[in-house]
Amino acid sequence: PRSTLFPYTTLFRSLIVDLDAFEFNVEKMFGFVKSKGRAIRPHGKTHKCPEIARRLVAAGAVGACAAKLSEAEVFAQAGIRGLLITTTVVGPYKIERAIRLAKLAPDTIFCVDNIKNATDLNDAAKAARIKLNIAVDLWVSNRTGIMPGEPAVALVESLQGLSNLKFTTIQAYAGGASHVNGFQARKKVSQEVMAKAVETRRMLEKKGIPCTHLTGGSTGTYNIDADIDGITELQPGSFMFMDIDYNRIGGADGNAFYGDFKNALTVYTTVVSKPNDDLAIVDGGLKAFSTDKPFPPRHKTDEGISYAFGGDEHGKVTFARGANTLSVGDKAEFVIPHCDPSVNLYDRMFCVRGDNVEAVWKVAARGMSQ
């Protein structure tokens, strides 16, 4: 039986997860990926929440991606396994922590994109008498990685001589493709960049070097990359929450609004001032939403209500002619511009179903960006 903690109308500024929408998103994504014969390892940088990671694993995920070593440490301490750290672990201090993490969660996969870092990891693993699982990160999104093709193959060949590293995976996360506007344009970009990763895998196998996993894919390209032969695993994250940024990229159906998944994440605010009939001030400002996008939050249900940032703690709400207005004490709920950095602003998520808070989930990896 589901428990009700309290009505969520009693909340003030809070990060809200609509459980019905969240569960719909997970079921839809996981069902699609399974139908395509692919594995899924959702990205933990989106939610930073062990409770969500546990739920995703229970739903069929093979584990969780983590953007940083510090995120992976939080997930591992909470009992999450099947971790893939998607950023290289560089430097003696971090490598020492990586060794401790691998002892706690031996199936953790670490990314490398150069032989010096790989050698450092191997030396540390040898001293600790353990083996590390290794993914080679490919440069396919102007972020990190080694160039696909011959450079990547040469690196993997060099890894074969490092006795305490076990190469298993190619990582090819084409983040730049995920937000290309228009489905056909997005499909073209993703297919082009992921073809380089697939070819790299084939080159390795021709040399007799097994590569069991090719991981990549995003919320914006899940229904593109799942059809590319050679990709074994997807690592989307935003699908579970969604945000305005993704809503704007366009769907496979030709609709300008990308609505494959529901907007499950919002910020719940209260009107704290009403300077005049045309303006209301809510208690959610720059500290309540990510500010990296050129568009503001969107009211959850009323297109006639517009939001503008009004400082650190406040937002300015205006009303179109004929729209419902708000008074002091009224609530206003807004869809966020960008989910990942918005989640990182909060210590907890209030999980609602209908009018009630059903659970409170801790954002335990908040701020873990070291």
Side-chain angles (χ1 to χ4, degrees):
R2 292 167 175 158
S3 60
T4 298
L5 299 181
F6 50 83
Y8 93 97
T9 53
T10 61
L11 294 170
F12 284 84
R13 189 179 80 192
S14 305
L15 187 66
I16 302 293
V17 177
D18 181 323
L19 286 173
D20 287 333
F22 171 84
E23 290 165 2
F24 170 89
N25 293 344
V26 172
E27 183 176 354
K28 181 173 182 178
M29 176 63 85
F30 280 47
F32 177 84
V33 172
K34 183 178 180 181
S35 75
K36 296 293 183 176
R38 306 292 190 262
I40 186 167
R41 196 186 310 258
H43 217 306
K45 71 183 179 70
T46 297
H47 55 77
K48 291 179 170 281
C49 174
E51 178 58 32
I52 289 180
R54 275 192 287 268
R55 287 170 178 254
L56 296 176
V57 170
V62 297
C65 291
K68 298 289 185 177
L69 173 65
S70 50
E71 282 182 359
E73 289 169 333
V74 172
F75 292 141
Q77 289 161 7
I80 307 302
R81 296 296 180 264
L83 299 171
L84 166 61
I85 304 174
T86 58
T87 304
T88 54
V89 177
V90 176
Y93 172 62
K94 286 189 177 180
I95 289 175
E96 180 183 336
R97 287 165 52 191
I99 295 300
R100 291 200 298 268
L101 173 62
K103 289 180 177 179
L104 174 63
D107 62 350
T108 299
I109 303 170
F110 298 87
C111 280
V112 301
D113 63 12
N114 70 88
I115 191 60
K116 172 63 167 64
N117 180 222
T119 301
D120 291 343
L121 285 166
N122 182 71
D123 291 346
K126 185 179 294 186
R129 298 181 180 179
I130 63 172
K131 273 200 170 187
L132 300 180
N133 301 300
I134 295 297
V136 166
D137 184 27
L138 298 188
W139 175 271
V140 291
S141 69
N142 299 319
R143 294 187 180 182
T144 60
I146 192 169
M147 299 303 294
E150 291 294 349
V153 171
L155 175 58
V156 175
E157 288 179 316
S158 297
L159 296 181
Q160 306 309 299
L162 300 178
S163 59
N164 289 74
L165 302 185
K166 181 183 179 182
F167 168 74
T168 62
T169 304
I170 288 175
Q171 173 178 267
Y173 177 68
S178 64
H179 284 86
V180 173
N181 285 330
F183 180 77
Q184 292 304 323
R186 190 161 64 252
K187 183 176 181 179
K188 182 176 184 293
V189 172
S190 194
Q191 287 179 336
E192 287 177 353
V193 296
M194 294 307 291
K196 299 175 184 179
V198 171
E199 179 58 24
T200 302
R201 185 184 182 202
R202 289 175 181 156
M203 291 170 67
L204 289 170
E205 291 173 341
K206 285 180 181 178
K207 289 178 174 287
I209 301 174
C211 177
T212 53
H213 305 300
L214 170 48
T215 181
S218 67
T219 296
T221 63
Y222 79 100
N223 52 354
I224 299 167
D225 299 334
D227 286 325
I228 299 175
D229 288 339
I231 295 176
T232 66
E233 174 183 296
L234 302 186
Q235 48 175 258
S238 298
F239 74 93
M240 66 189 75
F241 292 150
M242 289 303 290
D243 54 31
I244 298 172
D245 198 24
Y246 264 120
N247 289 154
R248 295 160 63 96
I249 68 171
D253 57 2
N255 197 315
F257 183 87
Y258 179 55
D260 287 30
F261 304 98
K262 296 181 179 181
N263 291 109
L265 191 72
T266 54
V267 170
Y268 193 62
T269 68
T270 302
V271 176
V272 294
S273 181
K274 190 76 182 288
N276 57 57
D277 290 342
D278 300 320
L279 177 66
I281 307 299
V282 297
D283 61 348
L286 298 170
K287 295 179 181 178
F289 304 91
S290 66
T291 58
D292 58 308
K293 301 300 176 183
F295 38 82
R298 182 184 74 229
H299 194 273
K300 182 180 180 181
T301 59
D302 194 334
E303 294 182 358
I305 296 177
S306 298
Y307 175 98
F309 287 105
D312 288 352
E313 311 296 346
H314 302 105
K316 297 183 290 186
V317 176
T318 54
F319 313 96
R321 181 174 297 179
N324 294 322
T325 61
L326 299 173
S327 300
V328 172
D330 286 345
K331 306 294 184 178
E333 195 166 352
F334 296 95
V335 178
I336 56 178
H338 187 185
C339 55
D340 298 20
S342 294
V343 168
N344 197 48
L345 297 172
Y346 292 85
D347 291 323
R348 60 190 64 85
M349 309 174 194
F350 291 87
C351 306
V352 306
R353 200 182 302 275
D355 295 328
N356 296 307
V357 173
E358 191 172 288
V360 181
W361 295 341
K362 186 177 181 181
V363 187
R366 178 192 179 188
M368 296 298 179
S369 300
Q370 300 87 354

